[in-house]
Amino acid sequence: MQLLDGKSLAKKIEESVTLQAKEFKNRTHRVPGLAVILVGHDAASQAYVGMKKKACDRAGFYSVTHEMPDDISQEAIVKTIEMMNDNPNIDGILIQLPLPSHIDTTKILEVVSPSKDVDGFHPYNVGRLATGLDGYVPCTPLGVMELLSEYNIDPKGKNCCIVGASNIVGKPMAALLLNANATVEICHIFTDDLKKHTLAADIVLVGAGVINLIKEDMVREGAIVIDIGINRASDGRLVGDVDYDAVAPKTSYITPVPGGVGPMTIAMLLSNTLKAAQNHGGEI
Ligand code: NAD
């Protein structure tokens, strides 16, 4: 079994992005800029936003966080996004999810200019991904593809079973794997006999948010297991969706949690923001 080390690959990507951001600054006299919109006081969201800001600082990006109270109106969020759409110092706009229940998340995501949609959640970029065109791809599944590529794992012709069908993880993961010529199955909460599907897979990719969802008897010998889940165990530890200790010895490759997909997500956010800055050039 070999570990897919997202932590060290993320560091390598960060270093390359930092260098390219310097070159971009020399050429255009400005740095890539990221705006984050954070609504409410969810501790996990605050922690994620803090990590993203630190990563921007390390890469030499400009970043700004718009913190808004839980009871903020839809209109006020829309106005802030429109301001960021028009701000030439901002290349990427990230709406930290989840938003409070009185906010229409779909409508909010549609306000973000597709050219600044570094999370790849705007329907325009979702459509481009689905049709195999260049655009902005959601950071977590993009990070998984980078990780596979780093270890020379080609999904072409492989049976891939994705567990979890959300817009931010499972569905874009499926599109990326399909574009890479894999055979793709997507399982979700209503899937009957999950084990039947995971057992048949060469690559099992899990992002469901359920601790120990994938057990030792659900994975075939030599399979590749990508654990996208991030959960807080009752003892405070961060754990994934895979029963790691039992499953890992059966696999050929596996991602640890933490240190697997998580750091790759942040590295891809930097990479997407740099790409947006390069697309915008010196002027927006
Ligand atoms: P979500 O709640 O939006 O979606 C969960 C998906 O899993 C749904 O499609 C649901 O049907 C499926 N599911 C839930 N329970 C299941 C079960 N028992 N069997 C089969 N399918 C089941 O969640 P999300 O936002 O997609 O996040 C999923 C997980 O990925 C979470 O643990 C989250 O923290 C993690 N995540 C990690 C990163 C990262 O950077 N590594 C980024 C985003 C999300």
Side-chain angles (χ1 to χ4, degrees), residues 32-51:
L34 177 72
V36 178
I37 293 185
L38 172 63
V39 182
H41 294 93
D42 178 64
S45 289
Q46 282 177 329
Y48 289 136
V49 168
M51 285 193 274

Side-chain angles (χ1 to χ4, degrees), residues 48 139-141 163-170 186-191 194 206-210 213 227-231 239-241 260-266:
Y48 289 136
C139 300
T140 300
V163 184
S166 71
N167 289 341
I168 65 172
V169 178
I186 313 179
C187 300
H188 45 75
I189 189 86
F190 299 114
T191 298
L194 181 62
V206 199
V210 180
L213 178 63
D227 192 350
I228 303 168
I230 300 181
N231 311 291
V239 296
D241 289 353
V261 177
M264 290 302 298
T265 297
I266 296 196

Side-chain angles (χ1 to χ4, degrees), residues 2 21-22 63 69 73 82 88 118 120 129 135 195 230 241 269 284:
Q2 190 177 350
K22 257 190 202 145
S63 77
S73 68
E82 286 172 344
V118 288
L129 172 61
K195 177 176 164 178
I230 300 181
D241 289 353
L269 174 65
I284 297 179

Side-chain angles (χ1 to χ4, degrees), residues 6-147:
K7 197 173 165 188
S8 52
L9 177 57
K11 192 163 172 270
K12 211 161 92 177
I13 292 170
E14 230 186 69
E15 283 164 4
S16 156
V17 167
T18 306
L19 207 68
Q20 291 178 72
K22 257 190 202 145
E23 286 163 7
F24 177 79
K25 188 181 174 189
N26 290 341
R27 206 161 25 84
T28 64
H29 307 291
R30 70 179 192 90
V31 295
L34 177 72
V36 178
I37 293 185
L38 172 63
V39 182
H41 294 93
D42 178 64
S45 289
Q46 282 177 329
Y48 289 136
V49 168
M51 285 193 274
K52 289 167 188 174
K53 176 160 178 34
K54 276 190 191 149
C56 282
D57 292 347
R58 286 196 301 271
F61 289 12
Y62 165 68
S63 77
V64 59
T65 304
H66 293 271
E67 290 192 42
M68 300 177 167
D70 277 305
D71 59 354
I72 189 96
S73 68
Q74 175 105 5
E75 293 69 33
I77 303 178
V78 167
K79 263 200 185 129
T80 307
I81 298 171
E82 286 172 344
M83 247 164 52
M84 295 299 108
N85 282 343
D86 293 338
N87 184 337
N89 294 317
I90 297 301
D91 297 291
I93 301 170
L94 184 154
I95 317 293
Q96 185 63 42
L97 301 179
L99 294 171
S101 54
H102 69 282
I103 302 291
D104 184 337
T105 301
T106 310
K107 282 205 175 125
I108 290 290
L109 294 176
E110 276 189 286
V111 180
V112 175
S113 163
S115 82
K116 297 191 176 186
D117 176 34
V118 288
D119 252 342
F121 294 160
H122 190 290
Y124 174 83
N125 283 312
V126 175
R128 290 189 73 86
L129 172 61
T131 41
L133 295 171
D134 184 44
Y136 294 100
V137 174
C139 300
T140 300
L142 185 59
V144 171
M145 296 305 283
E146 286 288 326
L147 202 47

Side-chain angles (χ1 to χ4, degrees), residues 1-7 143-144 147-148 151 153 203-206 223-229 239-245 247-248 251-264:
M1 178 273 287
Q2 190 177 350
L3 273 189
L4 296 171
D5 184 351
K7 197 173 165 188
V144 171
L147 202 47
L148 292 175
Y151 286 83
I153 299 167
I203 308 180
V204 181
L205 307 101
V206 199
I224 296 165
V225 174
I226 308 293
D227 192 350
I228 303 168
V239 296
D241 289 353
V242 175
D243 181 1
Y244 184 88
D245 290 341
V247 171
T251 63
S252 52
Y253 295 91
I254 188 166
T255 54
V257 178
V261 177
M264 290 302 298

